[in-house]
Amino acid sequence: MESESNNKVSNGLDGSTGAESMARRGNTCELILRVVALALTVAAAIVLGVDKQTKVVPIQIAPTLPTVNIAAQAKWHYLSALVYAVVANIIASIYAAISIVIMLGSRKGKSSTRLGQMVGVADLLMVGLLFSANGAALAIGLMGYKGNSHVRWNKVCNVFDKFCDQVAVSILLSLLAALAFTASVAITLLKFQKRFASKS
């Protein structure tokens, strides 16, 4: 009886329980980050997917002719960069939901190192996917705000202000989701570093 109690005391003093509690806290933080990423990517896809605006624009065909008012529409699927952003956020949200299920399942059973490595690689792919989509959407958004005098592309956000504001909000939400995935990658790397350090 005394030896068993001594073993329990020694296990509490040698830091093994502390390491387990740190691992549990890391898993909890990672799970929260994935839920945040899921919510942000779904919100970004919805905000951009419903984005459209109709405005009456005066157009003058010739200086001698009067202006003609024409109803013009701005929709997200008119621009391939915005289509790419919507698809990228949908893919990232589906992956976030799947990874949450995987994490909850691994908590009940024994976690696999190979499965953790696969999830970490997939997280990196989501980071690259979201940053590339946001870069493309941001480039076309800046073109809409400022135009390009060299190729005579006029700015359109002074007319379709609501449309451009929704694009900006969607890009911001998606960037925050990319940062959440980046933080998840960092936590995964720290867990593997501690696991390999304990084995050596």
Side-chain angles (χ1 to χ4, degrees):
M1 294 292 294
E2 291 181 0
S3 61
E4 289 180 0
S5 61
N6 290 334
N7 287 334
K8 290 181 181 179
V9 172
S10 63
N11 287 335
L13 294 176
D14 65 4
S16 61
T17 56
E20 290 176 0
S21 65
M22 286 183 64
R24 280 196 297 269
R25 275 182 289 178
N27 290 336
T28 303
C29 290
E30 190 176 354
L31 182 61
I32 292 172
L33 286 170
R34 293 183 186 281
V35 172
V36 169
L38 173 61
L40 290 172
T41 49
V42 169
I46 292 174
V47 169
L48 191 55
V50 300
D51 194 9
K52 63 179 180 179
Q53 187 179 9
T54 303
K55 286 297 259 316
V56 177
V57 181
I59 296 177
Q60 189 172 20
I61 300 173
T64 58
L65 297 176
T67 58
V68 179
N69 293 327
I70 297 177
Q73 278 191 336
K75 293 184 179 181
W76 65 273
H77 57 82
Y78 290 168
L79 297 167
S80 58
L82 300 185
V83 173
Y84 176 41
V86 171
V87 172
N89 280 286
I90 291 173
I91 292 173
S93 63
I94 293 172
Y95 165 73
I98 293 173
S99 65
I100 289 170
V101 173
I102 291 174
M103 280 203 67
L104 293 175
S106 64
R107 280 187 167 191
K108 296 179 181 178
K110 187 177 180 181
S111 60
S112 171
T113 304
R114 181 166 294 181
L115 181 61
Q117 290 174 346
M118 291 173 62
V119 171
V121 171
D123 286 344
L124 281 174
L125 290 176
M126 292 304 109
V127 170
L129 178 67
L130 288 177
F131 274 122
S132 65
N134 291 324
L138 187 59
I140 201 68
L142 288 175
M143 191 75 68
Y145 272 108
K146 295 186 176 181
N148 193 324
S149 59
H150 299 289
V151 293
R152 296 184 179 181
W153 288 348
N154 296 326
K155 58 183 179 180
V156 295
C157 287
N158 57 333
V159 178
F160 300 101
D161 51 349
K162 174 180 170 292
F163 177 83
C164 293
D165 290 342
Q166 277 190 234
V167 172
V169 170
S170 176
I171 292 173
L172 178 61
L173 292 172
S174 187
L175 281 173
L176 292 175
L179 292 177
F181 277 119
T182 304
S184 179
V185 171
I187 292 175
T188 302
L189 290 175
L190 284 173
K191 287 196 298 185
F192 280 121
Q193 189 268 334
K194 289 179 180 179
R195 184 176 298 178
F196 290 134
S198 63
K199 289 181 179 180
S200 59

